[in-house]
Amino acid sequence: MKEVIVKDADLQRAAAEGTDAFVQVFVSALRSAVGGELTAETMTWLNADQLTLLAWDTLHEEVMDGGFVQLIHNGYGPFIFKNPFAKAVRLWGLHALSKLVYNAHTLWLKHRDVIERELSEEEFMALFEQLPDFDDLDDQFVENEEEWTSAIAHYIDEHIENFATVE
């Protein structure tokens, strides 16, 4: 396991800024610990909670920017759907997020061949009209994102030793 260190001063500052900043301190420390890129090798350096947090960050960034279609098109489908991410967030108490990810997994299996292929920008943008099944999932994610981020921050705070050493 790779030692991940966060500074207490950074946590204090982030806690004053809000849950997004608090979670980001840990995400940044984890990304730094793996050299900025999560690979098959660097994944072995982290524990399950740390990997789940990085998966959340990837899911959050991609879905908030371009929905599940973008997440899948950018190659993150296997990382989110083939790993036990949905189960892990359920164990963290995020049952609605877990259900949403399982529902997105079903759609990923159904549409992945279309979404994951090489596409021009125009073809990619057309996917949003061609695959309206994802719209409700995208909306549900956006509507609950703040609550889920807060729950994740709370989970980290309650299990801080699973994520990093505080100095």
Side-chain angles (χ1 to χ4, degrees), residues 73-102:
H73 180 70
N74 286 343
Y76 295 111
F79 180 52
I80 298 299
F81 303 125
K82 284 190 170 184
N83 287 308
F85 174 72
K87 180 180 180 182
V89 295
R90 183 172 37 87
L91 294 173
W92 286 10
L94 292 117
H95 299 277
L97 175 58
S98 176
K99 184 176 181 189
L100 176 75
V101 172
Y102 281 124

Side-chain angles (χ1 to χ4, degrees), residues 48-115:
D49 276 344
Q50 292 169 327
L51 287 169
T52 299
L53 182 58
L54 289 180
W56 159 257
D57 184 60
T58 300
L59 177 74
H60 179 262
E61 292 298 315
E62 292 292 321
V63 175
M64 291 300 287
D65 188 48
F68 280 98
V69 169
Q70 177 177 302
L71 172 100
I72 295 164
H73 180 70
N74 286 343
Y76 295 111
F79 180 52
I80 298 299
F81 303 125
K82 284 190 170 184
N83 287 308
F85 174 72
K87 180 180 180 182
V89 295
R90 183 172 37 87
L91 294 173
W92 286 10
L94 292 117
H95 299 277
L97 175 58
S98 176
K99 184 176 181 189
L100 176 75
V101 172
Y102 281 124
N103 289 340
H105 182 189
T106 300
L107 291 178
W108 172 64
L109 292 172
K110 181 178 179 183
H111 300 294
R112 67 183 289 189
D113 292 341
V114 172
I115 302 171

Side-chain angles (χ1 to χ4, degrees), residues 8-9 11 26 35 37 39 44 52 59 123 125 128 133 167:
D8 188 50
L11 286 181
F26 291 92
E37 186 178 351
T39 64
T44 66
T52 299
L59 177 74
E123 292 169 323
M125 295 308 288
F128 293 96
D133 295 355
E167 290 185 342

Side-chain angles (χ1 to χ4, degrees), residues 2-5 27-36 42 45-46:
K2 187 90 163 176
E3 185 174 23
V4 178
I5 298 170
V27 168
S28 295
L30 289 168
R31 293 224 182 266
S32 179
V34 297
T42 60
W45 301 351
L46 303 176

